[in-house]
Amino acid sequence: MFAYRHAFHAGNHADVIKHAVLLDCLSRLQSKPGALTLIDTHGGAGAYSTDSGLTRNKAEYKTGLGRLWGMRLDKMPEMIANYIRVLRGLHGESTTLSTMAGSPLLMAQQMRPQDHLTAFEMHPTDAPLLKQNLERFGRRAQLRASDGFAGLRALLPPVSRRGLVLMDPSYEIRTDYGKALASLREATSRFSTGCYVLWVPIVARLEVERLVRQALALPVEERLHLRFQVRRAGADGLGLMGSHLIVLNPPYGLQRACEEVLPWLVTQLGQDESAGCEIRLQEKKGGPKPPSLNNHQRVSRVDASRLSRGSSRVPSRG
Ligand SMILES: C[S@@+](CC[C@H](N)C(=O)[O-])C[C@H]1O[C@@H](n2cnc3c(N)ncnc32)[C@H](O)[C@@H]1O
């Protein structure tokens, strides 16, 4: 426990898809004036310097956010442009990527006066860092240095009756998979209309498919399943291959936006011919709809042709 530090992975492909979708959900929910309760059950440190020893160690951002940072915003889908805009707003003057905001800071930055954020973080080093990073938002953004799986239920249903919850565990220990499901099950039973975003790694573990399947069976009105893969497993069968994002009660328009964004991201962040994406919407009444997009093959070919030209951006690890 506590070996995981998000700084090692900040800005990687998983952060890109997760943060872009999170911000998109937030802005769609903010199209209505009512107050929003924002909850981040696993907050991390809130901000990460590309210059710190931990981040430099693996430099995962170079094959994620680093590939998008210098691009023109009008050359990318609006969801990604919005994400880069928010990040740049939190960034200093320098055009070189030097600081990367994490999920609680991104949400806090986009809060309106009527919104409120609670972020959980248990790590003895990262919790004080997150507290410091949220200080400027005053009482509207609070840190709880306690267990986010267990603490979520006490915040639900929110007085505002409108909420967005990000659950982004480190899955450092296998029991996190079961805890994530139990916590979400309890949360949705108390507040079934909230919007929940659950991140699950694509790694070679039995627990992954089980959690995805069970989260998609939770009794809410709609569930959106996004699958975004950038590479195959390493030679040892290990390593992060990509992300599942399960969005319970996705805001209107999110699915359509993802249909544009995910294939584009595959072409930008894909690392080998196994890169691809899938988008699937399930509604409560009736069975699962067929995938709205499964361009694994098509996008893989696009990516493979780029790699065969000898792109210097092909990394050895994700
Ligand atoms: C994947 S990181 C979070 C990254 C962050 N959501 C972001 O996108 O910027 C997971 C974090 O959860 C923390 N953590 C682990 N178990 C926890 C628990 N039960 N409750 C709250 N935080 C926990 C870890 O210390 C780690 O910082």
Side-chain angles (χ1 to χ4, degrees):
M1 183 77 178
F2 295 137
Y4 181 94
R5 301 291 304 280
H6 194 63
F8 282 119
H9 312 287
N12 68 1
H13 54 85
D15 264 10
V16 170
I17 179 83
K18 173 182 61 189
H19 292 162
V21 168
L22 178 70
L23 286 175
D24 195 76
C25 289
L26 179 54
S27 74
R28 287 176 195 279
L29 293 170
Q30 286 174 329
S31 65
K32 290 187 183 158
L36 272 173
T37 296
L38 310 174
I39 302 171
D40 196 332
T41 59
H42 296 71
Y48 309 90
S49 162
T50 54
D51 218 20
S52 89
L54 293 184
T55 309
R56 264 208 324 259
N57 183 296
K58 293 187 178 175
E60 292 188 13
Y61 70 91
K62 289 189 179 169
T63 52
L65 181 57
R67 286 190 182 179
L68 311 176
W69 185 250
M71 283 175 86
R72 277 176 48 179
L73 299 187
D74 60 357
K75 297 285 179 208
M76 47 177 79
E78 182 48 33
M79 186 197 291
I80 304 296
N82 179 50
Y83 160 58
I84 301 288
R85 236 180 259 123
V86 175
L87 280 171
R88 286 185 187 164
L90 282 158
H91 199 263
E93 295 284 293
S94 160
T95 50
T96 311
L97 178 59
S98 58
T99 309
M100 299 172 288
S103 54
L105 198 56
L106 291 170
M107 285 201 275
Q109 173 73 6
Q110 294 306 98
M111 280 191 302
R112 303 162 301 173
Q114 65 268 43
D115 301 334
H116 183 274
L117 168 74
T118 302
F120 292 87
E121 174 52 52
M122 281 179 82
H123 196 284
T125 308
D126 283 349
L129 288 173
L130 180 54
K131 188 173 172 42
Q132 208 178 317
N133 282 320
L134 291 177
E135 232 149 44
R136 76 181 107 132
F137 302 98
R139 293 162 61 106
R140 291 190 302 123
Q142 286 178 353
L143 165 79
R144 295 203 181 181
S146 56
D147 183 352
F149 290 129
L152 176 59
R153 67 189 299 278
L155 301 177
L156 302 177
V159 179
S160 67
R161 298 282 159 176
R162 300 186 67 235
L164 171 62
V165 177
L166 172 67
M167 184 172 288
D168 179 25
S170 44
Y171 299 101
E172 193 180 350
I173 37 180
R174 275 173 190 254
T175 49
D176 275 4
Y177 292 88
K179 283 185 182 178
L181 182 73
S183 178
L184 269 184
R185 183 175 282 141
E186 170 89 30
T188 50
S189 75
R190 298 172 75 91
F191 180 42
S192 64
T193 55
C195 176
Y196 299 86
V197 179
L198 171 68
W199 182 83
V200 185
I202 301 183
V203 287
R205 271 194 162 183
L206 285 176
E207 289 89 346
V208 169
E209 296 307 324
R210 191 185 312 141
L211 174 56
V212 168
R213 196 176 59 249
Q214 291 177 329
L216 286 170
L218 287 169
V220 295
E221 228 23 71
E222 277 190 355
R223 309 79 147 202
L224 184 64
H225 179 195
L226 310 176
R227 188 178 189 284
F228 172 59
Q229 182 165 345
V230 297
R231 66 176 189 115
R232 71 173 81 82
D236 52 3
L238 301 176
L240 180 65
M241 293 176 265
S243 304
H244 291 281
L245 280 179
I246 313 289
V247 187
L248 305 178
N249 298 319
Y252 180 75
L254 176 68
Q255 180 193 0
R256 185 62 64 82
C258 289
E259 285 169 1
E260 181 194 6
V261 166
L262 265 70
W264 184 85
L265 272 184
V266 170
T267 64
Q268 301 303 314
L269 306 186
Q271 298 175 17
D272 60 37
E273 69 287 348
S274 64
C277 62
E278 202 172 316
I279 300 169
R280 198 181 282 262
L281 182 75
Q282 295 185 4
E283 289 169 308
K284 194 174 181 182
K285 293 184 189 91
K289 283 188 174 177
S292 64
L293 181 73
N294 183 347
N295 61 346
H296 211 86
Q297 295 304 319
R298 183 166 60 81
V299 175
S300 290
R301 276 204 300 277
V302 170
D303 195 51
S305 66
R306 181 171 65 79
L307 298 184
S308 67
R309 287 197 299 273
S311 164
S312 59
R313 300 190 307 190
V314 185
S316 57
R317 277 186 54 92

